[in-house]
Amino acid sequence: MDAQGPGGAGDFDPADQWVFDPNTGNYELRLNPAETSEDTTELRRVAGSSSGDGATDSEPRGRRRAAKRESEKETGPVSRRKPKPKKSKTKKALYWGSGTLAFLLVGGSAAAYFVYQHLNNNISKIDVGENNAAVSDGPMNILLIGTDRRDGKGNEGYGDAGSVGHADTTLLFHVSEDRSNATVLSFPRDMITDVPDCTVKEDGQEKTIPGEAEVRFNTSLGQEGRNPYCTWQTVEKITGLNISHFMMADFNAVKEMSTAVGGVDICLGKDINDPKSHLNLKKGRHTVKGEQALAFVRTRHAVGFGGDLDRIKLQQQFLSSLMRKMKDSGTLTSPGKMWDLAQTATKALTVDTGIGTVSKLASLGKNLSKVDLKNVTFATIPVVDNTDGATVLLDKTKAEPLFSMVRQDVSLTEVKKKEKAAKDEQAARLKGPKADPADVRVNVLNGSGQFGAAQETVDWMQNTEGMLRTSNGGNAPSELKKTTLEYAPNQADQARRLADSMGLPASAMKEGTKDAEPKAEMSLTLGADFKSAGTPISAPTKAPKDIQRVEADDKNVCAK
């Protein structure tokens, strides 16, 4: 592998560029082999001179050795090296993938300028017109796209060589605000949906591409000149989630990344011989990499019912296993492997400008790496067969509760964490006596961004719920992400009645400190989580039954 930097000459192993410095406990980068050799000698000399044997560098070698032997008789051998400090998990690289996508973010001693510039130049960027910070304090949604584009080195010989590159594999990676859990939603490429108008930039000029109704989801990319921002907007429209960033890669990424980690463990519940994907493996467990790994994530005709939904299951199994491999192996503590992974991952990526540098990717990676694998769940959005037998339709009855859970950070796994007194106190506000609907007095403000939402809610309260003493307060001073109900302590029974009717979560209850006047109104401000009058604001606590999902730490998943 030729990893020489500017001004370098010759081929050498990148691992030889890294030298352990006993004074810092870190590996440090040396930009050429000669420098590495000289600095290694220097580091050894420094370690030897500070080993506590009482000799100085100016003393003859024989005298130093004799002094050392005499010292060891009394105290035993003295190590020349400081023990390597254990690396914090939050300082390790982050890994993730989307079908044919996996990326590695480098931190710690790898931040030398040479490495930074070298890896920076590997990353391809697309300006989608969004200027989101690399890291935010709230929940984050990252769109991961594996495109079926066939051109470029390593992609030859796969299907339609003239493909413009569609959204062949698409996942939305949602990380909760407290970083305790993550949900990864897979979108079937053959799902019929509406693709909205989207604006792309070409040679610095903005161009609006008209949307289309009732088309395959995968045409949100590539078709009619659409770029990843069009897929971005399509996913936002389907889920109601706000996307922060995107990452995209092609077929070659899965080959290179699986090879860089030394192979990915998979399991087959039966023999598979698929001439279309070229996967030919016996039943049982295997370690795949390169072409074989790509064949595994592309196989669909030989598993399940032979459709795209079955291929999604394979991809989820593969990505879960890749994540475990990255975490469990010594990959992230090996400078040589780190270099190979960083090279491979940054070359594989096309990202938005908000995360278009190594430093921004590293910041994002450090922030997201707080999520424990046991609380990461892959789920396929619920769909039903279409009448044509070749496509599917969104199952809105099951999909909306799932999307609601993701929007409100409700994990699909049982997240075990310490309960805080504040949360207990907040939840207790929903418990207790409830006022009669006719006694509920509330002023409704519209901070949802939906036209007429306040009046719609007031009409529903009066005509359906019997809350006659309600009023429309018009638009709120600003839009809110979440609905809130502000009330006084002596209005708690009214607040509980309203919360019960609207399905408000405990987090929406904002109790004041002073009692209100007898006929004073509470204040309900509708947020972006408001969908329609009569639709509960709070998300379900459990996912709908029968949705297809895979837990990232489950090692017993086998393709059938």
Side-chain angles (χ1 to χ4, degrees):
M1 175 181 178
D2 184 3
Q4 66 183 17
D11 296 335
F12 55 88
D13 185 348
D16 292 339
Q17 292 178 282
W18 299 86
V19 178
F20 181 75
D21 186 344
N23 294 315
T24 64
N26 289 327
Y27 285 92
E28 294 189 355
L29 183 69
R30 301 295 181 262
L31 302 187
N32 59 64
E35 185 182 21
T36 299
S37 177
E38 293 170 1
D39 286 348
T40 302
T41 302
E42 176 64 12
L43 285 172
R44 288 173 177 167
R45 185 193 66 76
V46 171
S49 67
S50 61
S51 62
D53 59 13
T56 64
D57 194 52
S58 60
E59 291 178 310
R61 181 179 300 175
R63 185 179 300 174
R64 292 202 306 270
R65 288 179 176 173
K68 180 182 177 182
R69 286 196 298 270
E70 194 65 31
S71 175
E72 289 181 355
K73 287 180 182 179
E74 298 178 6
T75 64
V78 179
S79 172
R80 294 187 177 197
R81 295 186 178 183
K82 292 183 179 180
K84 298 178 185 179
K86 293 183 179 180
K87 295 189 176 182
S88 168
K89 290 182 179 179
T90 59
K91 292 183 180 179
K92 292 182 179 179
L94 173 73
Y95 45 87
W96 199 258
S98 68
T100 58
L101 171 62
F103 65 86
L104 178 72
L105 307 176
V106 181
S109 59
Y113 181 75
F114 167 76
V115 173
Y116 178 83
Q117 285 297 101
H118 186 83
L119 297 180
N120 246 11
N121 293 335
N122 287 344
I123 302 172
S124 298
K125 299 179 286 292
I126 294 178
D127 184 359
V128 297
E130 296 275 354
N131 297 311
N132 298 326
V135 176
S136 73
D137 293 332
M140 296 194 71
N141 299 295
I142 302 172
L143 187 65
L144 309 173
I145 305 173
T147 175
D148 62 351
R149 189 166 185 170
R150 267 75 170 179
D151 61 351
K153 185 178 180 181
N155 293 316
E156 307 89 346
Y158 298 108
D160 178 13
S163 173
V164 293
H166 299 104
D168 193 55
T169 300
T170 304
L171 301 98
L172 183 62
F173 171 33
H174 170 84
V175 180
S176 65
E177 183 172 3
D178 63 4
R179 305 301 187 253
S180 68
N181 66 89
T183 300
V184 190
L185 300 177
S186 294
F187 292 77
R189 66 175 191 176
D190 296 324
M191 182 178 70
I192 299 300
T193 190
D194 294 340
V195 175
D197 295 350
C198 64
T199 301
V200 301
K201 289 187 176 182
E202 294 181 358
D203 300 323
Q205 300 295 316
E206 290 189 349
K207 173 185 176 182
T208 299
I209 301 176
E212 292 183 273
E214 299 184 351
V215 292
R216 275 181 164 86
F217 174 86
N218 68 344
T219 62
S220 63
L221 176 68
Q223 207 78 13
E224 308 298 333
R226 296 187 180 104
N227 70 11
Y229 191 51
C230 300
T231 305
W232 175 319
Q233 291 183 302
T234 302
V235 171
E236 285 191 335
K237 183 175 181 180
I238 293 172
T239 63
L241 290 157
N242 294 320
I243 294 175
S244 307
H245 303 289
F246 86 87
M247 298 181 181
M248 180 176 70
D250 57 21
F251 283 136
N252 201 43
V254 71
K255 294 192 297 182
E256 297 292 336
M257 202 65 187
S258 60
T259 300
V261 299
V264 176
D265 299 329
I266 59 148
C267 179
L268 300 179
K270 64 177 182 179
D271 296 350
I272 291 182
N273 186 2
D274 185 355
K276 293 192 174 182
S277 71
H278 308 296
L279 182 69
N280 187 357
L281 290 173
K282 296 292 183 181
K283 174 182 178 180
R285 298 185 179 277
H286 304 272
T287 300
V288 295
K289 59 183 177 180
E291 294 287 350
Q292 200 172 50
L294 180 58
F296 178 77
V297 299
R298 294 185 66 231
T299 289
R300 63 186 175 101
H301 297 288
V303 293
F305 295 102
D308 188 49
L309 297 180
D310 294 296
R311 175 163 55 187
I312 286 175
K313 295 178 184 178
L314 298 184
Q315 294 169 348
Q316 291 173 345
Q317 180 194 154
F318 180 86
L319 293 172
S320 297
S321 182
L322 174 63
M323 292 165 62
R324 293 194 301 271
K325 181 66 175 287
M326 295 283 290
K327 181 177 181 179
D328 296 340
S329 69
T331 299
L332 301 181
T333 57
S334 167
K337 289 182 179 179
M338 283 278 285
W339 175 261
D340 289 344
L341 286 167
Q343 281 272 73
T344 299
T346 51
K347 285 181 179 179
L349 285 175
T350 297
V351 301
D352 63 277
T353 51
I355 49 173
T357 66
V358 171
S359 62
K360 290 179 179 178
L361 283 170
S363 296
L364 177 64
K366 182 177 179 180
N367 185 266
L368 302 186
S369 62
K370 299 173 184 178
V371 183
D372 194 312
L373 276 185
K374 66 182 180 182
N375 295 325
V376 177
T377 307
F378 288 85
T380 304
I381 65 172
V383 292
V384 294
D385 289 336
N386 200 3
T387 53
D388 61 10
T391 59
V392 294
L393 301 172
L394 182 68
D395 185 344
K396 294 183 179 179
T397 302
K398 292 183 178 179
E400 181 50 40
L402 175 62
F403 296 154
S404 180
M405 292 180 70
V406 177
R407 287 193 295 264
Q408 297 189 36
D409 278 357
V410 179
S411 176
L412 299 188
T413 60
E414 294 293 334
V415 181
K416 295 182 179 179
K417 53 186 178 181
K418 295 181 179 179
E419 293 293 332
K420 296 181 180 179
K423 287 189 176 182
D424 289 339
E425 181 181 349
Q426 192 177 63
R429 292 174 183 170
L430 293 175
K431 299 177 181 179
K434 300 177 179 66
D436 187 272
D439 293 330
V440 174
R441 298 174 184 270
V442 62
N443 185 35
V444 182
L445 300 173
N446 185 10
S448 68
Q450 296 183 39
F451 179 77
Q455 188 58 51
E456 177 192 347
T457 301
V458 170
D459 291 343
W460 171 78
M461 287 178 173
Q462 294 180 350
N463 300 327
T464 303
E465 297 299 295
M467 299 178 185
L468 302 178
R469 293 184 171 91
T470 54
S471 61
N472 182 352
N475 291 328
S478 61
E479 293 184 6
L480 298 181
K481 290 184 178 180
K482 296 183 179 181
T483 298
T484 60
L485 175 61
E486 298 177 71
Y487 60 97
N490 62 337
Q491 295 173 321
D493 57 342
Q494 297 182 51
R496 286 190 285 268
R497 171 59 66 188
L498 183 59
D500 184 63
S501 294
M502 295 193 64
L504 292 179
S507 59
M509 309 289 281
K510 309 297 181 184
E511 184 176 324
T513 57
K514 295 181 180 180
D515 285 346
E517 295 296 323
K519 295 184 179 182
E521 292 180 309
M522 299 182 293
S523 180
L524 174 70
T525 305
L526 304 177
D529 54 356
F530 172 83
K531 296 305 173 186
S532 62
T535 300
I537 299 292
S538 60
T541 56
K542 292 185 179 180
K545 292 182 179 180
D546 303 324
I547 66 167
Q548 189 277 317
R549 65 184 187 181
V550 172
E551 310 297 340
D553 66 340
D554 187 352
K555 300 179 181 180
N556 299 314
V557 178
C558 287
K560 297 181 180 179

